[in-house]
Protein backbone atom coordinates (compact mmCIF):
# COMPACT_ATOMS: atom_id res chain seq x y z
CA UNK A 1 0.00 0.00 0.00
CA UNK A 2 1.26 3.49 -0.82
CA UNK A 3 0.06 6.75 0.64
CA UNK A 4 1.06 9.83 -1.30
CA UNK A 5 1.39 13.09 0.65
CA UNK A 6 1.94 15.20 -2.47
CA UNK A 7 4.61 17.85 -1.91
CA UNK A 8 4.92 17.74 1.84
CA UNK A 9 7.00 15.91 4.44
CA UNK A 10 5.41 16.30 7.85
CA UNK A 11 7.21 16.38 11.18
CA UNK A 12 4.40 16.00 13.73
CA UNK A 13 6.52 16.42 16.86
CA UNK A 14 7.95 19.74 15.76
CA UNK A 15 4.74 20.79 13.97
CA UNK A 16 6.79 21.96 11.01
CA UNK A 17 6.34 21.59 7.32
CA UNK A 18 9.30 20.97 5.04
CA UNK A 19 8.32 21.81 1.53
CA UNK A 20 9.69 20.12 -1.54
CA UNK A 21 12.79 21.31 -3.27
CA UNK A 22 10.63 23.00 -5.89
CA UNK A 23 10.75 26.77 -5.32
CA UNK A 24 7.40 28.14 -4.23
CA UNK A 25 6.22 31.67 -3.59
CA UNK A 26 5.54 32.59 0.03
CA UNK A 27 3.33 35.10 1.83
CA UNK A 28 6.41 37.28 2.26
CA UNK A 29 6.98 37.30 -1.49
CA UNK A 30 3.38 38.35 -2.09
CA UNK A 31 3.61 41.06 0.59
CA UNK A 32 6.83 42.44 -0.87
CA UNK A 33 5.43 42.62 -4.41
CA UNK A 34 2.18 44.21 -3.23
CA UNK A 35 4.04 46.65 -0.94
CA UNK A 36 2.10 45.61 2.18
CA UNK A 37 2.92 43.65 5.30
CA UNK A 38 2.38 39.89 5.66
CA UNK A 39 -0.56 40.26 8.05
CA UNK A 40 -2.45 42.33 5.45
CA UNK A 41 -1.93 39.61 2.83
CA UNK A 42 -3.19 37.01 5.29
CA UNK A 43 -6.32 39.03 6.12
CA UNK A 44 -7.04 39.65 2.44
CA UNK A 45 -6.72 36.01 1.42
CA UNK A 46 -8.72 34.68 4.37
CA UNK A 47 -11.36 37.44 4.30
CA UNK A 48 -10.86 37.59 8.07
CA UNK A 49 -10.91 41.39 8.33
CA UNK A 50 -11.54 44.47 6.21
CA UNK A 51 -8.88 45.26 3.63
CA UNK A 52 -9.25 48.29 1.34
CA UNK A 53 -10.50 47.15 -2.10
CA UNK A 54 -7.53 48.73 -3.92
CA UNK A 55 -5.09 47.03 -1.56
CA UNK A 56 -6.84 43.71 -1.92
CA UNK A 57 -6.80 44.01 -5.71
CA UNK A 58 -3.06 44.69 -5.59
CA UNK A 59 -2.53 41.63 -3.37
CA UNK A 60 -4.58 39.39 -5.66
CA UNK A 61 -2.59 40.63 -8.66
CA UNK A 62 0.63 39.74 -6.82
CA UNK A 63 -0.77 36.29 -5.99
CA UNK A 64 -1.55 35.74 -9.66
CA UNK A 65 1.83 37.00 -10.86
CA UNK A 66 3.76 34.80 -8.41
CA UNK A 67 1.44 31.77 -8.85
CA UNK A 68 1.21 31.69 -5.08
CA UNK A 69 -0.43 28.57 -3.61
CA UNK A 70 -1.27 28.71 0.11
CA UNK A 71 0.13 25.86 2.18
CA UNK A 72 -3.20 24.31 3.16
CA UNK A 73 -1.55 21.53 5.16
CA UNK A 74 0.42 23.94 7.33
CA UNK A 75 -2.67 26.06 7.87
CA UNK A 76 -4.62 22.98 8.85
CA UNK A 77 -2.02 21.95 11.40
CA UNK A 78 -2.09 25.41 12.98
CA UNK A 79 -5.87 25.15 13.26
CA UNK A 80 -5.78 21.58 14.52
CA UNK A 81 -7.33 20.30 11.27
CA UNK A 82 -5.91 18.52 8.24
CA UNK A 83 -8.81 19.11 5.82
CA UNK A 84 -8.26 15.57 4.57
CA UNK A 85 -10.47 12.47 4.43
CA UNK A 86 -9.15 8.92 4.39
CA UNK A 87 -11.00 6.61 1.97
CA UNK A 88 -10.71 2.81 2.12
CA UNK A 89 -12.19 0.75 -0.73
CA UNK A 90 -11.45 -2.82 -1.88
CA UNK A 91 -10.47 -1.90 -5.45
CA UNK A 92 -11.36 0.47 -8.26
CA UNK A 93 -10.88 -1.31 -11.59
CA UNK A 94 -14.27 -1.87 -13.23
CA UNK A 95 -16.14 -1.76 -9.92
CA UNK A 96 -18.81 0.45 -8.43
CA UNK A 97 -16.18 1.80 -6.04
CA UNK A 98 -14.60 3.83 -8.84
CA UNK A 99 -17.79 5.87 -9.21
CA UNK A 100 -18.32 6.03 -5.44
CA UNK A 101 -14.78 7.36 -4.98
CA UNK A 102 -15.32 9.94 -7.71
CA UNK A 103 -18.40 11.19 -5.85
CA UNK A 104 -16.43 11.36 -2.61
CA UNK A 105 -13.59 13.31 -4.20
CA UNK A 106 -15.90 15.77 -5.96
CA UNK A 107 -17.77 16.57 -2.74
CA UNK A 108 -14.55 16.75 -0.73
CA UNK A 109 -13.00 19.18 -3.21
CA UNK A 110 -16.14 21.31 -3.16
CA UNK A 111 -15.88 21.53 0.64
CA UNK A 112 -12.15 22.28 0.64
CA UNK A 113 -10.99 18.79 1.63
CA UNK A 114 -8.40 16.48 0.07
CA UNK A 115 -8.63 12.67 0.05
CA UNK A 116 -6.14 9.92 0.81
CA UNK A 117 -7.13 6.71 -0.97
CA UNK A 118 -6.26 3.20 0.22
CA UNK A 119 -6.96 -0.04 -1.68
CA UNK A 120 -7.53 -2.97 0.70
CA UNK A 121 -8.17 -5.71 -1.91
CA UNK A 122 -10.70 -7.05 0.64
CA UNK A 123 -7.80 -8.21 2.78
CA UNK A 124 -8.47 -7.94 6.53
CA UNK A 125 -4.76 -7.49 7.30
CA UNK A 126 -4.24 -4.83 4.65
CA UNK A 127 -7.38 -3.05 5.80
CA UNK A 128 -6.05 -3.06 9.37
CA UNK A 129 -2.73 -1.62 8.21
CA UNK A 130 -4.50 1.12 6.25
CA UNK A 131 -6.73 2.04 9.19
CA UNK A 132 -3.78 2.29 11.57
CA UNK A 133 -1.84 4.45 9.13
CA UNK A 134 -4.78 6.79 8.68
CA UNK A 135 -5.64 7.09 12.37
CA UNK A 136 -2.02 7.99 13.14
CA UNK A 137 -1.69 10.23 10.11
CA UNK A 138 -3.21 13.36 8.75
CA UNK A 139 -6.93 12.79 8.24
CA UNK A 140 -9.97 14.31 9.96
CA UNK A 141 -12.27 11.37 9.20
CA UNK A 142 -12.55 8.05 7.40
CA UNK A 143 -14.94 6.66 4.77
CA UNK A 144 -14.74 2.89 4.50
CA UNK A 145 -16.17 0.00 2.49
CA UNK A 146 -15.15 -2.52 5.11
CA UNK A 147 -14.38 -6.23 5.06
CA UNK A 148 -16.13 -6.65 8.41
CA UNK A 149 -13.06 -8.23 10.02
CA UNK A 150 -11.83 -5.11 11.82
CA UNK A 151 -14.98 -3.96 13.61
CA UNK A 152 -13.26 -3.35 16.94
CA UNK A 153 -10.53 -1.25 15.36
CA UNK A 154 -13.06 0.84 13.42
CA UNK A 155 -15.07 1.41 16.60
CA UNK A 156 -11.91 2.37 18.49
CA UNK A 157 -11.06 4.91 15.80
CA UNK A 158 -14.51 6.47 16.02
CA UNK A 159 -14.40 6.43 19.84
CA UNK A 160 -11.08 8.32 19.70
CA UNK A 161 -12.89 11.25 18.08
CA UNK A 162 -12.14 10.50 14.42
CA UNK A 163 -15.51 10.30 12.57
CA UNK A 164 -16.12 7.19 10.46
CA UNK A 165 -18.66 6.70 7.66
CA UNK A 166 -19.47 3.34 6.04
CA UNK A 167 -20.21 3.36 2.32
CA UNK A 168 -21.81 0.65 0.11
CA UNK A 169 -21.25 -1.92 2.87
CA UNK A 170 -22.87 -1.62 6.31
CA UNK A 171 -21.11 -4.05 8.63
CA UNK A 172 -21.68 -2.23 11.93
CA UNK A 173 -25.08 -0.80 12.87
CA UNK A 174 -23.43 1.50 15.44
CA UNK A 175 -21.52 3.42 12.76
CA UNK A 176 -23.22 5.71 10.22
CA UNK A 177 -23.57 4.45 6.67
CA UNK A 178 -24.72 5.24 3.15
CA UNK A 179 -25.74 2.04 1.37
CA UNK A 180 -28.21 0.40 -1.01
CA UNK A 181 -31.29 -1.77 -0.43
CA UNK A 182 -29.67 -4.89 -1.88
CA UNK A 183 -32.36 -7.27 -0.63
CA UNK A 184 -35.22 -5.43 -2.33
CA UNK A 185 -33.31 -4.91 -5.58
CA UNK A 186 -32.64 -8.66 -5.85
CA UNK A 187 -36.28 -9.46 -5.11
CA UNK A 188 -37.29 -7.08 -7.90
CA UNK A 189 -34.82 -8.73 -10.30
CA UNK A 190 -36.16 -12.23 -9.60
CA UNK A 191 -39.76 -10.99 -9.88
CA UNK A 192 -38.92 -9.32 -13.21
CA UNK A 193 -37.62 -12.62 -14.63
CA UNK A 194 -40.51 -14.64 -13.18
CA UNK A 195 -43.00 -12.24 -14.78
CA UNK A 196 -41.27 -12.88 -18.12
CA UNK A 197 -41.94 -16.59 -17.72
CA UNK A 198 -38.55 -17.67 -16.35
CA UNK A 199 -38.71 -20.50 -13.80
CA UNK A 200 -35.03 -21.52 -13.44
CA UNK A 201 -33.31 -18.36 -12.22
CA UNK A 202 -29.65 -18.60 -11.21
CA UNK A 203 -27.67 -16.24 -8.97
CA UNK A 204 -23.99 -15.37 -9.23
CA UNK A 205 -23.11 -14.01 -5.81
CA UNK A 206 -20.08 -13.37 -3.60
CA UNK A 207 -18.84 -13.95 -0.07
CA UNK A 208 -21.69 -14.23 2.43
CA UNK A 209 -19.44 -12.53 5.00
CA UNK A 210 -19.92 -9.25 3.09
CA UNK A 211 -23.23 -7.51 3.72
CA UNK A 212 -24.23 -6.74 0.08
CA UNK A 213 -23.89 -10.39 -0.98
CA UNK A 214 -25.65 -11.72 2.12
CA UNK A 215 -28.54 -9.30 1.59
CA UNK A 216 -28.80 -10.14 -2.10
CA UNK A 217 -28.99 -13.85 -1.30
CA UNK A 218 -31.69 -13.16 1.28
CA UNK A 219 -33.77 -11.27 -1.29
CA UNK A 220 -33.17 -13.97 -3.90
CA UNK A 221 -34.35 -16.78 -1.61
CA UNK A 222 -37.33 -14.79 -0.35
CA UNK A 223 -38.67 -14.09 -3.85
CA UNK A 224 -38.07 -17.64 -5.06
CA UNK A 225 -39.92 -19.03 -2.04
CA UNK A 226 -42.89 -16.73 -2.65
CA UNK A 227 -43.14 -18.14 -6.20
CA UNK A 228 -42.37 -21.76 -5.27
CA UNK A 229 -39.19 -21.82 -7.39
CA UNK A 230 -35.94 -23.65 -6.66
CA UNK A 231 -32.61 -21.87 -6.28
CA UNK A 232 -29.50 -22.32 -8.39
CA UNK A 233 -26.51 -20.41 -7.03
CA UNK A 234 -22.79 -20.31 -7.67
CA UNK A 235 -19.85 -18.77 -5.86
CA UNK A 236 -16.19 -19.57 -5.26
CA UNK A 237 -13.45 -18.58 -2.84
CA UNK A 238 -11.75 -16.12 -5.21
CA UNK A 239 -11.99 -12.40 -6.11
CA UNK A 240 -15.63 -11.85 -7.02
CA UNK A 241 -15.49 -8.56 -8.92
CA UNK A 242 -13.90 -10.07 -12.02
CA UNK A 243 -15.03 -11.32 -15.41
CA UNK A 244 -13.26 -14.63 -14.77
CA UNK A 245 -15.39 -15.13 -11.65
CA UNK A 246 -18.60 -14.54 -13.60
CA UNK A 247 -17.38 -16.90 -16.32
CA UNK A 248 -16.61 -19.73 -13.87
CA UNK A 249 -19.85 -19.25 -11.95
CA UNK A 250 -21.93 -19.34 -15.12
CA UNK A 251 -20.35 -22.64 -16.16
CA UNK A 252 -21.14 -23.99 -12.67
CA UNK A 253 -24.75 -22.79 -12.91
CA UNK A 254 -25.24 -24.52 -16.27
CA UNK A 255 -23.83 -27.76 -14.85
CA UNK A 256 -26.14 -27.57 -11.84
CA UNK A 257 -29.25 -26.78 -13.85
CA UNK A 258 -29.32 -27.45 -17.62
CA UNK A 259 -32.79 -25.85 -17.72
CA UNK A 260 -31.46 -22.48 -16.54
CA UNK A 261 -33.34 -19.66 -18.29
CA UNK A 262 -32.17 -16.55 -16.39
CA UNK A 263 -29.12 -15.35 -14.49
CA UNK A 264 -28.84 -12.59 -11.92
CA UNK A 265 -25.23 -11.41 -11.51
CA UNK A 266 -24.20 -9.37 -8.48
CA UNK A 267 -22.04 -6.93 -10.50
CA UNK A 268 -21.41 -5.96 -14.13
CA UNK A 269 -17.99 -7.64 -14.37
CA UNK A 270 -19.59 -10.95 -13.40
CA UNK A 271 -22.23 -10.35 -16.05
CA UNK A 272 -19.59 -9.75 -18.72
CA UNK A 273 -17.95 -13.06 -17.82
CA UNK A 274 -21.36 -14.72 -17.91
CA UNK A 275 -21.97 -13.48 -21.46
CA UNK A 276 -18.74 -15.13 -22.60
CA UNK A 277 -19.51 -18.42 -20.88
CA UNK A 278 -23.03 -18.50 -22.36
CA UNK A 279 -21.69 -17.85 -25.85
CA UNK A 280 -19.21 -20.70 -25.51
CA UNK A 281 -22.02 -22.97 -24.28
CA UNK A 282 -24.10 -22.15 -27.36
CA UNK A 283 -26.70 -20.25 -25.32
CA UNK A 284 -28.24 -17.18 -26.92
CA UNK A 285 -28.92 -14.07 -24.85
CA UNK A 286 -31.75 -13.27 -24.32
CA UNK A 287 -33.51 -15.95 -26.40
CA UNK A 288 -32.24 -18.95 -24.39
CA UNK A 289 -31.08 -17.30 -21.18
CA UNK A 290 -31.80 -13.80 -19.93
CA UNK A 291 -29.19 -11.90 -17.93
CA UNK A 292 -29.23 -9.00 -15.45
CA UNK A 293 -26.66 -7.21 -13.28
CA UNK A 294 -27.58 -6.04 -9.79
CA UNK A 295 -24.93 -3.30 -9.80
CA UNK A 296 -25.23 -1.49 -13.08
CA UNK A 297 -22.36 0.64 -14.37
CA UNK A 298 -21.75 2.62 -17.52
CA UNK A 299 -19.88 -0.26 -19.19
CA UNK A 300 -23.00 -2.45 -19.22
CA UNK A 301 -24.76 -0.15 -21.65
CA UNK A 302 -21.85 -0.29 -24.14
CA UNK A 303 -21.52 -4.07 -24.54
CA UNK A 304 -22.32 -5.79 -27.84
CA UNK A 305 -25.34 -7.21 -26.01
CA UNK A 306 -26.16 -4.36 -23.66
CA UNK A 307 -26.91 -5.57 -20.14
CA UNK A 308 -30.13 -4.98 -18.22
CA UNK A 309 -29.27 -3.78 -14.72
CA UNK A 310 -30.48 -2.55 -11.40
CA UNK A 311 -28.68 0.81 -11.56
CA UNK A 312 -27.11 2.19 -8.37
CA UNK A 313 -26.54 5.98 -7.98
CA UNK A 314 -22.90 5.38 -7.07
CA UNK A 315 -21.56 8.92 -7.44
CA UNK A 316 -24.47 10.30 -5.45
CA UNK A 317 -23.83 7.75 -2.71
CA UNK A 318 -20.15 8.73 -2.52
CA UNK A 319 -20.97 12.43 -2.46
CA UNK A 320 -23.54 11.97 0.31
CA UNK A 321 -21.11 9.90 2.40
CA UNK A 322 -18.49 12.64 2.08
CA UNK A 323 -21.01 15.39 2.85
CA UNK A 324 -22.22 13.69 6.04
CA UNK A 325 -18.68 12.97 7.21
CA UNK A 326 -17.54 16.55 6.60
CA UNK A 327 -20.58 17.87 8.49
CA UNK A 328 -19.55 15.78 11.47
CA UNK A 329 -15.93 16.90 11.18
CA UNK A 330 -16.89 20.57 11.06
CA UNK A 331 -19.65 20.44 13.67
CA UNK A 332 -18.77 17.59 16.05
CA UNK A 333 -20.85 18.97 18.92
CA UNK A 334 -23.92 19.65 16.80
CA UNK A 335 -23.91 16.31 15.01
CA UNK A 336 -26.78 13.96 15.93
CA UNK A 337 -25.89 11.42 18.62
CA UNK A 338 -26.06 7.85 17.35
CA UNK A 339 -25.52 6.29 13.96
CA UNK A 340 -27.32 7.64 10.91
CA UNK A 341 -28.11 5.25 8.04
CA UNK A 342 -29.14 6.34 4.54
CA UNK A 343 -30.36 3.66 2.12
CA UNK A 344 -30.67 4.26 -1.61
CA UNK A 345 -32.88 2.31 -4.00
CA UNK A 346 -31.79 0.76 -7.30
CA UNK A 347 -33.60 1.51 -10.55
CA UNK A 348 -34.30 -1.14 -13.20
CA UNK A 349 -32.90 -0.23 -16.62
CA UNK A 350 -33.96 -2.67 -19.35
CA UNK A 351 -31.54 -3.42 -22.17
CA UNK A 352 -30.90 -6.14 -24.77
CA UNK A 353 -29.88 -8.95 -22.39
CA UNK A 354 -33.47 -9.47 -21.20
Amino acid sequence: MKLFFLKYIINVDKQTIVESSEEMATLKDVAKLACVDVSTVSRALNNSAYVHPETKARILEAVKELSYQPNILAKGLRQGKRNTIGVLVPHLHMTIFAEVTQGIEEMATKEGFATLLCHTEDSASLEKECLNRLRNGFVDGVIIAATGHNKKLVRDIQASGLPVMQVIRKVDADISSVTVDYETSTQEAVAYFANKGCSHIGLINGSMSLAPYAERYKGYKKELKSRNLKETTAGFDQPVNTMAYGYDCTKALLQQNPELDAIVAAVDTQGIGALRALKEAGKRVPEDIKLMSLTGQEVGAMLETSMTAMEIPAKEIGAKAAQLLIEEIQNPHNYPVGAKHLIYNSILVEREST
Side-chain angles (χ1 to χ4, degrees):
M1 184 199 67
K2 296 181 180 179
L3 292 178
F4 295 96
F5 289 93
L6 303 179
K7 296 182 178 179
Y8 308 103
I9 300 170
I10 302 143
N11 184 326
V12 181
D13 296 329
K14 296 181 180 178
Q15 292 285 287
T16 59
I17 303 295
V18 181
E19 295 182 350
S20 69
S21 58
E22 178 185 350
E23 292 187 8
M24 300 173 66
T26 66
L27 274 179
K28 289 183 179 179
D29 296 328
V30 175
K32 183 177 180 180
L33 184 59
C35 299
V36 296
D37 57 35
V38 171
S39 62
T40 303
V41 175
S42 181
R43 292 199 306 273
L45 297 182
N46 292 312
N47 294 314
S48 58
Y50 177 78
V51 176
H52 193 279
E54 290 184 4
T55 303
K56 188 170 185 178
R58 198 163 67 247
I59 291 170
L60 293 177
E61 183 61 33
V63 166
K64 182 178 178 181
E65 183 174 337
L66 294 172
S67 298
Y68 170 72
Q69 294 292 328
N71 192 330
I72 300 298
L73 193 53
K75 178 182 177 182
L77 286 174
R78 289 193 299 270
Q79 296 176 342
K81 293 182 179 180
R82 291 86 170 173
N83 289 332
T84 302
I85 296 171
V87 181
L88 287 85
V89 294
H91 25 242
L92 294 178
H93 180 63
M94 291 191 72
T95 71
I96 201 71
F97 295 109
E99 295 176 34
V100 170
T101 301
Q102 185 178 353
I104 292 171
E105 291 183 333
E106 288 179 2
M107 178 58 69
T109 300
K110 178 182 176 182
E111 297 296 328
F113 279 70
T115 55
L116 285 178
L117 181 62
C118 301
H119 298 171
T120 67
E121 301 300 331
D122 266 332
S123 161
S125 59
L126 186 53
E127 180 183 77
K128 181 178 181 180
E129 180 185 346
C130 291
L131 285 167
N132 281 322
R133 284 176 180 262
L134 290 175
R135 77 182 300 187
N136 296 320
F138 291 83
V139 298
D140 298 301
V142 173
I143 297 176
I144 182 171
T147 63
H149 296 292
N150 292 295
K151 285 186 180 181
K152 185 178 183 301
L153 175 57
V154 174
R155 285 190 179 188
D156 287 346
I157 290 173
Q158 174 144 296
S160 72
L162 199 66
V164 178
M165 180 69 60
Q166 300 175 103
V167 68
I168 294 297
R169 300 172 177 178
K170 185 179 76 173
V171 301
D172 192 331
D174 293 328
I175 295 178
S176 295
S177 66
V178 183
T179 57
V180 177
D181 189 345
Y182 302 106
E183 181 179 338
T184 299
S185 68
T186 309
Q187 282 186 262
E188 291 176 356
V190 174
Y192 171 83
F193 281 137
N195 291 335
K196 280 185 169 288
C198 300
S199 56
H200 298 273
I201 304 168
L203 173 67
I204 300 175
N205 208 22
S207 172
M208 298 295 284
S209 65
L210 296 174
Y213 299 113
E215 291 171 22
R216 288 182 183 116
Y217 181 64
K218 183 178 178 181
Y220 172 74
K221 285 197 69 174
K222 184 182 291 186
E223 192 62 29
L224 287 180
K225 184 178 180 180
S226 72
R227 296 173 180 272
N228 198 29
L229 300 176
K230 294 183 179 180
E231 70 173 78
T232 307
T233 60
F236 302 99
D237 185 19
Q238 64 188 66
V240 300
N241 285 299
T242 66
M243 290 175 275
Y245 183 87
Y247 176 88
D248 291 339
C249 285
T250 301
K251 292 177 69 175
L253 289 174
L254 291 171
Q255 288 180 346
Q256 289 179 50
N257 187 352
E259 297 182 79
L260 199 71
D261 53 17
I263 294 176
V264 180
V267 296
D268 271 7
T269 48
Q270 294 175 357
I272 294 172
L275 284 170
R276 181 65 187 180
L278 291 172
K279 182 177 181 179
E280 290 183 3
K283 301 290 186 179
R284 299 171 300 164
V285 178
E287 292 84 359
D288 300 323
I289 296 181
K290 301 183 188 302
L291 175 67
M292 180 190 300
S293 165
L294 293 172
T295 312
Q297 295 177 258
E298 188 176 352
V299 65
M302 301 305 294
L303 300 173
E304 182 177 353
T305 301
S306 59
M307 199 183 317
T308 294
M310 300 298 293
E311 297 280 358
I312 290 176
K315 282 183 63 177
E316 185 179 343
I317 288 171
K320 177 57 71 171
Q323 179 189 350
L324 293 175
L325 185 74
I326 291 170
E327 286 177 1
E328 186 171 359
I329 291 169
Q330 294 177 332
N331 304 288
H333 303 297
N334 297 330
Y335 205 77
V337 177
K340 182 176 183 178
H341 302 290
L342 292 185
I343 301 175
Y344 283 77
N345 294 319
S346 302
I347 299 174
L348 174 64
V349 179
E350 293 186 90
R351 299 193 180 102
E352 295 170 341
S353 67
T354 58

